[in-house]
């Protein structure tokens, strides 16, 4: 029974590690993305942030991913997915939430003169 439990635990750990490594895999291609599409932004929703659409790489081509609503995360700033040109290649950077707005005023701490004051001057 103990051997079986150890085997199952090892499989669970290995699959979690593999999934995390796959999620962080970077996309580098030689074809730049097309210009962004024009999207109609829906009316604002309290507690949500509109994340605009972007070009992703699937198969052997760029594929448009539509914008969507994401629940706001107090104290975090959302970085939009982007393509960065590096010589003759293009690297895709996933969108992600990052710490950086402790007071929730919408100004990242690195630009905020008073990062802990939600009623800053």
């Amino acid at each position: 029974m103990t051997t079986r439990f150890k085997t199952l635990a090892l499989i669970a750990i290995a699959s979690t590690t593999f999934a995390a490594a796959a999620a962080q895999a970077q996309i580098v291609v030689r074809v730049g993305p097309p210009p962004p599409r024009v999207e109609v932004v829906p009316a604002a929703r309290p507690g949500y942030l509109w994340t605009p659409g972007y070009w992703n790489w699937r198969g052997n081509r760029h594929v448009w991913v539509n914008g969507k609503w994401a629940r706001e995360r107090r104290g975090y700033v959302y970085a939009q997915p982007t393509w960065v040109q590096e010589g003759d290649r293009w690297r895709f950077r996933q969108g992600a939430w990052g710490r950086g707005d402790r007071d929730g005023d919408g100004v990242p701490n690195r630009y905020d003169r008073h990062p802990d004051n939600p009623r800053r001057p």
Side-chain angles (χ1 to χ4, degrees), residues 57-61 63:
W57 185 260
R58 292 192 195 132
N60 279 326
R61 63 189 184 99
V63 176

Side-chain angles (χ1 to χ4, degrees), residues 2 6 8 14 16 27 33 35 37 48 50-51 55 60 71-72 74 77 82 85 93 97-98 115:
T2 304
K6 287 180 182 178
L8 290 174
T16 302
I27 300 171
R37 290 186 177 175
Y48 287 83
W50 177 255
T51 59
W55 290 104
N60 279 326
R71 185 178 295 275
E72 287 182 349
R74 186 162 174 79
V77 177
T82 58
Q85 187 172 10
R93 294 196 177 143
W97 289 94

Side-chain angles (χ1 to χ4, degrees), residues 92-110:
F92 181 70
R93 294 196 177 143
Q94 286 284 355
W97 289 94
R99 290 186 180 259
D101 185 17
R102 289 192 301 259
D103 57 6
D105 64 356
V107 180
N109 290 337
R110 65 180 171 208

Side-chain angles (χ1 to χ4, degrees), residues 50 80 113:
W50 177 255
Q80 177 71 14
R113 288 185 176 176

Side-chain angles (χ1 to χ4, degrees), residues 53-73:
Y54 60 94
W55 290 104
N56 201 352
W57 185 260
R58 292 192 195 132
N60 279 326
R61 63 189 184 99
H62 289 283
V63 176
W64 181 254
V65 177
N66 290 323
K68 64 181 180 180
W69 288 107
R71 185 178 295 275
E72 287 182 349
R73 297 178 64 187

Side-chain angles (χ1 to χ4, degrees), residues 23-42:
Q24 293 181 357
Q26 293 193 4
I27 300 171
V28 180
V29 297
R30 293 186 183 267
V31 180
R37 290 186 177 175
V38 176
E39 288 185 305
V40 176
V41 179

